[in-house]
């Protein structure tokens, strides 16, 4: 009897270990708002759906585009992209992926009745057609093939099943993708259970049989759950809370995000219309001190592109202007006719710590004789002033991109839709036009290198820093990685030792 009992206990012990290894529990702040990949805009929806659906491309850990459902892709010329669709892929219901599904997905995105936010990405697509039985050709109205490619990695460009959609399923509630996990259960306000897709086309992925995403809006709850062992990983927003997770028992993951803090300058108002004056501000700002004071050192100095965006980003150390040098700043002000400094206004809001960033900059610029008046306004007024270029300067945060054309064109081209700085430089315009039409990577790299150097030297925007995203796990978790776009696609490679 005793031997039998021991045997039973042994079986349960083994089963318990297996269950622990087969499931990951992650605590998140917010839950999805809809599950249709062609409709959702909520950040929380994207984090779930990127593990259920696939796009033609995806990102590797260095934010490089790599093949996903597209086995190969080629920009034949600046107007033409051809994708070769991967064979042997199945949707979660077991039906095979076909070229018709891919064609249908983009027709659905572009259908005005769908009202997909991704439709704007493809507004300059002239035609999409199937070639043979395994290729899709995109013909463009404008020579911007290279600039279009990153959109194929987004959740809003996911490939859906034509049969599933046309069956009348409510895509906001039900899913059927080709991704590493399928949606097994969703209890709104509580949790989501994702289970391993037995048909997933990447060998040995995902590692876990199940991922349970629990929603805990309050950070104190996430911290307590992680410390008590109720969850394996949690998102942490408050840097001071990291002191509660001792090394050895927990692992801390941090990565700068693509979004970045900046000073935007109205380049038509004196004396800020003089590039030497704007550049003087560049030298007078101690970015590391701002990160320490505002973000408790959880951030990195960024240039025009996030340093993680390779191969396009020039590193901050490539710019002499990023070296804190008050003497150089005073020299430039004297050359511009302001040896004793000047006064200007910075518009700021209390959102996202804009006011705190403004206060640190106010103190730093005072050291070179520049007096800053901070105009603290409500968010609605802030946005109105931004849209109408009604400012000397402002503190803000822009979302970033891994594609230089998306990052720069509308912001710095003369008359660009977000060029609220009223900046205009014929050479910059020329480089922006060349960059979006060039398909040779080395030539594009040279174009955007020159562009970044001009933008930093002329400083219509003074780039400051990107904050870190921070997650904490227990020590048994392995393989978890963060991406600059805050994606959680590496949950498929995460496991417990």
């Amino acid at each position: 009897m005793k031997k039998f009992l021991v045997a039973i206990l042994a079986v349960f012990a083994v089963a318990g270990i297996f269950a622990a290894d087969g499931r990951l529990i992650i605590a998140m702040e917010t839950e999805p708002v809809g599950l249709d990949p062609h409709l959702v805009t909520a950040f929380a929806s994207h984090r779930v759906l990127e593990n259920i659906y696939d796009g033609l491309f995806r990102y590797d850990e260095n934010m490089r585009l790599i093949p996903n459902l597209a086995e190969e892709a080629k920009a034949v010329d600046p107007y033409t992209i051809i994708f070769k669709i991967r064979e042997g892929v199945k949707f979660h219901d077991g039906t095979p992926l076909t070229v018709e599904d891919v064609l249908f997905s983009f027709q659905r995105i572009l259908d005005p009745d769908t009202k997909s936010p991704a439709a704007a990405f493809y507004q300059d697509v002239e035609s999409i057609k199937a070639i043979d039985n395994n290729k899709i050709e995109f013909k463009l109205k404008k020579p911007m093939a290279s600039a279009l490619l990153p959109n194929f990695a987004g959740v809003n460009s996911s490939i859906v099943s034509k049969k599933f959609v046309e069956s009348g399923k409510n895509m906001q509630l039900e899913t059927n993708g080709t991704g590493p996990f399928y949606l097994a259960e969703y209890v709104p306000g509580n949790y989501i259970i994702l289970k391993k897709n037995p048909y997933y086309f990447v060998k040995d992925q995902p590692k876990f049989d199940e991922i349970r995403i629990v929603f805990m809006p309050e950070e104190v709850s996430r911290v307590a759950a992680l410390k008590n062992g109720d969850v394996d990983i949690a998102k942490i927003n408050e840097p001071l809370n990291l002191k509660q997770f001792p090394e050895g028992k927990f692992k801390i993951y941090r990565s700068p995000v693509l979004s970045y803090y900046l000073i935007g300058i109205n380049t038509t108002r004196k004396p800020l219309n003089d590039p030497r004056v704007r550049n003087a501000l560049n030298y007078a700002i101690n970015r590391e001190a701002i990160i320490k004071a505002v973000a408790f050192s959880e951030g990195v100095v960024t240039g025009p592109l996030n340093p993680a965006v390779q191969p396009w980003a020039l590193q901050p150390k490539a710019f002499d202007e990023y070296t804190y040098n008050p003497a150089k700043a005073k020299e430039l002000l004297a050359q511009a006719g302001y040896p004793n400094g000047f006064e200007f206004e910075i518009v700021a809001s209390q959102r996202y710590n804009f006011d705190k960033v403004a206060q640190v900059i106010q103190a730093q610029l005072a050291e070179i004789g520049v007096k800053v008046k901070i105009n603290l306004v409500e968010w609605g007024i802030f946005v109105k002033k931004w849209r109408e270029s009604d400012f000397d300067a402002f503190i803000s945060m822009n979302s970033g991109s891994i594609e230089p054309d998306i990052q720069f064109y509308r912001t710095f081209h003369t008359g660009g839709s977000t060029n609220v700085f009223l900046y205009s430089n014929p050479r910059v315009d020329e480089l922006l036009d060349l960059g979006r039409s060039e398909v040779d990577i080395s030539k594009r790299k040279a174009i955007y290198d020159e562009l970044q150097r001009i933008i930093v030297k002329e400083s219509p925007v003074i780039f400051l820093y990107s904050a870190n995203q921070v997650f904490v796990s227990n020590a048994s978790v392995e393989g978890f990685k963060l991406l600059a776009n805050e994606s959680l696609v590496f949950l498929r490679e995460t496991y417990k030792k």
Side-chain angles (χ1 to χ4, degrees):
M1 180 63 186
K2 184 177 180 181
K3 287 183 178 179
F4 180 65
L5 180 60
V6 169
I8 291 176
L9 290 175
V11 169
F12 274 94
V14 171
I17 291 171
F18 179 81
D21 287 344
R23 185 175 72 175
L24 181 82
I25 305 177
I26 180 169
M28 296 295 289
E29 192 174 7
T30 53
E31 65 179 301
V33 183
L35 296 173
D36 187 330
H38 294 165
L39 293 183
V40 295
T41 56
F43 186 80
S45 295
H46 283 232
R47 298 293 76 82
V48 172
L49 293 174
E50 66 193 3
N51 288 292
I52 295 174
Y53 287 95
D54 285 311
L56 295 180
F57 284 154
R58 68 180 180 90
Y59 293 109
D60 69 8
E61 60 185 296
N62 297 312
M63 291 300 296
R64 291 189 174 97
L65 285 174
I66 59 174
N68 200 22
L69 291 182
E71 192 174 50
E72 296 175 8
K74 186 175 183 181
V76 180
D77 57 55
Y79 292 90
T80 311
I81 308 170
I82 296 178
F83 295 96
K84 181 181 179 182
I85 306 305
R86 188 181 299 276
E87 296 182 356
V89 178
K90 291 183 179 180
F91 287 99
H92 295 154
D93 63 2
T95 58
L97 169 75
T98 67
V99 169
E100 284 70 30
D101 293 311
V102 179
L103 192 59
F104 171 79
S105 296
F106 287 100
Q107 289 170 341
R108 183 172 186 257
I109 289 169
L110 288 168
D111 185 342
D113 290 339
T114 304
K115 298 180 180 178
S116 172
F121 302 153
Y122 303 105
Q123 62 183 354
D124 291 318
V125 172
E126 186 173 81
S127 65
I128 309 172
K129 67 178 183 181
I131 302 176
D132 303 326
N133 292 319
N134 64 345
K135 293 179 182 175
I136 292 285
E137 178 190 84
F138 283 72
K139 277 286 186 182
L140 313 181
K141 301 172 187 173
K142 297 179 180 177
M144 53 182 299
S146 298
L148 190 67
L149 292 177
N151 295 309
F152 294 103
V155 166
N156 288 138
S157 298
S158 294
I159 305 304
V160 299
S161 163
K162 179 180 179 181
K163 177 183 175 184
F164 188 76
V165 175
E166 290 185 339
S167 71
K169 298 288 187 182
N170 186 338
M171 296 286 286
Q172 289 285 44
L173 300 176
E174 299 179 78
T175 65
N176 183 28
T178 59
F181 297 97
Y182 68 89
L183 179 65
E185 186 178 4
Y186 179 18
V187 179
N190 201 338
Y191 63 84
I192 276 179
I193 295 177
L194 303 178
K195 290 198 172 182
K196 183 176 185 174
N197 171 16
Y199 306 112
Y200 190 48
F201 62 91
V202 179
K203 187 180 179 182
D204 298 330
Q205 291 186 17
K207 304 292 186 184
F208 281 112
D209 294 324
E210 177 182 312
I211 289 184
R212 180 183 290 252
I213 303 173
V214 295
F215 306 114
M216 296 182 176
E218 301 298 329
E219 174 132 329
V220 64
S221 300
R222 299 194 299 278
V223 169
L226 189 57
K227 291 174 66 178
N228 293 336
D230 297 327
V231 302
D232 299 299
I233 304 180
K235 190 174 192 302
I236 302 299
N237 295 324
E238 176 52 62
L240 294 178
N241 281 331
L242 296 178
K243 295 179 180 178
Q244 301 186 56
F245 301 105
E247 187 177 353
K249 191 175 181 181
F250 296 95
K251 295 178 180 177
I252 297 176
Y253 310 82
R254 48 169 58 87
S255 170
V257 298
L258 289 177
S259 57
Y260 56 92
Y261 286 85
L262 62 101
I263 306 175
I265 298 174
N266 188 328
T267 60
T268 65
R269 291 191 181 182
K270 291 184 177 181
L272 296 168
N273 62 331
D274 188 329
R276 293 171 297 182
V277 172
R278 301 196 297 266
N279 209 12
L281 304 186
N282 237 333
Y283 280 103
I285 290 173
N286 186 335
R287 293 164 173 79
E288 296 288 357
I290 297 173
I291 295 171
K292 185 176 181 179
V294 179
F296 299 96
S297 299
E298 290 293 346
V300 297
V301 175
T302 184
L305 285 165
N306 185 295
V309 176
Q310 294 300 316
W312 309 115
L314 292 178
Q315 299 301 304
K317 64 182 179 184
F319 304 106
D320 185 56
E321 292 86 349
Y322 278 54
T323 303
Y324 177 54
N325 190 342
K328 177 71 174 180
K330 289 181 179 178
E331 179 185 327
L332 287 169
L333 286 181
Q335 290 176 11
Y338 300 94
N340 299 315
F342 64 96
E343 181 176 345
F344 75 108
E345 180 183 275
I346 289 181
V347 178
S349 164
Q350 288 184 322
R351 285 200 182 192
Y352 308 112
N353 288 328
F354 293 168
D355 55 334
K356 295 182 176 60
V357 173
Q359 289 165 10
V360 177
I361 288 173
Q362 182 183 49
Q364 292 180 351
L365 295 186
E367 295 181 12
I368 62 166
V370 173
K371 185 177 180 181
V372 173
K373 176 187 175 185
I374 298 175
N375 183 8
L376 196 61
V377 298
E378 294 180 353
W379 186 246
I381 296 174
F382 180 90
V383 173
K384 184 174 186 292
K385 284 180 171 290
W386 179 88
R387 285 177 175 163
E388 297 175 356
S389 298
D390 182 19
F391 54 81
D392 294 336
F394 64 86
I395 303 295
S396 186
M397 180 170 63
N398 278 1
S399 60
S401 174
I402 60 112
E403 165 53 44
D405 180 75
I406 296 173
Q407 178 92 341
F408 295 136
Y409 196 92
R410 65 178 183 171
T411 302
F412 296 112
H413 199 286
T414 301
S417 60
T418 58
N419 185 358
V420 295
F421 326 103
L422 308 177
Y423 175 65
S424 181
N425 179 322
R427 179 56 180 165
V428 167
D429 292 349
E430 182 181 15
L431 290 168
L432 288 168
D433 290 331
L434 287 171
R436 66 167 28 184
S437 61
E438 180 57 63
V439 296
D440 183 280
I441 292 180
S442 62
K443 291 180 181 176
R444 283 194 93 205
K445 168 70 174 162
I447 289 168
Y448 287 117
D449 280 359
E450 181 182 348
L451 179 68
Q452 289 174 77
R453 294 186 189 282
I454 293 175
I455 290 173
V456 170
K457 187 173 184 179
E458 299 208 337
S459 304
V461 164
I462 295 178
F463 301 91
L464 298 174
Y465 74 97
S466 291
N468 285 338
Q469 55 178 327
V470 180
F471 281 73
V472 179
S473 80
N474 62 50
S476 69
V477 174
E478 298 281 350
F480 183 68
K481 299 171 186 173
L482 297 174
L483 294 181
N485 64 353
E486 302 180 64
S487 164
L488 295 177
V489 292
F490 280 94
L491 285 175
R492 67 196 64 183
E493 297 184 26
T494 303
Y495 62 97
K496 291 181 185 176
K497 63 182 178 182

